[in-house]
Amino acid sequence: MLFFDISSWEPRDTEKVIEHFKKLKPPAGINVVNQWVDLNGGRYFILYEADSAEAYAEFNLPWSDICIIDSVPVMESTDFIKLMVSKGL
């Protein structure tokens, strides 16, 4: 399943976040599609696929001490339209 996460942090925690990024290695079951950084600072965007709830938790929990993570399950719009059509909606 695809997830789009928006992680935000307080400016005072920027150094801690940079240290986390240096050590970032997605666990088994996580496939990072792409990632972006807000050029204004304080936010990070990532699109990734998680094979399981366990992989999802293992990927996000290490950030919970310094970031607020808004995580949204997503799918490509063309796939969503096909799904809706197949359901008669």
Side-chain angles (χ1 to χ4, degrees), residues 4-85:
F4 186 80
D5 288 1
I6 302 170
S7 299
S8 56
W9 59 89
E10 295 293 327
R12 69 178 179 270
D13 292 328
T14 298
E15 291 300 319
K16 290 179 188 176
V17 171
I18 290 170
E19 288 305 312
H20 270 283
F21 273 118
K22 288 179 183 177
K23 300 173 190 173
L24 179 63
K25 291 183 184 171
I30 296 291
N31 177 40
V32 175
V33 176
N34 212 334
Q35 47 195 327
W36 305 266
V37 175
D38 183 343
L39 295 178
N40 292 316
R43 291 192 304 173
Y44 165 73
F45 308 89
I46 183 169
L47 177 66
Y48 62 96
E49 187 171 12
D51 291 345
S52 66
E54 291 81 8
Y56 172 86
E58 186 178 345
F59 189 50
N60 281 307
L61 285 176
W63 294 89
S64 63
D65 62 334
I66 57 172
C67 291
I68 295 172
I69 301 173
D70 292 318
S71 189
V72 181
V74 296
M75 71 184 332
E76 291 186 31
S77 58
T78 54
D79 292 337
F80 179 76
I81 291 167
K82 288 176 188 174
L83 177 64
M84 294 298 102
V85 169

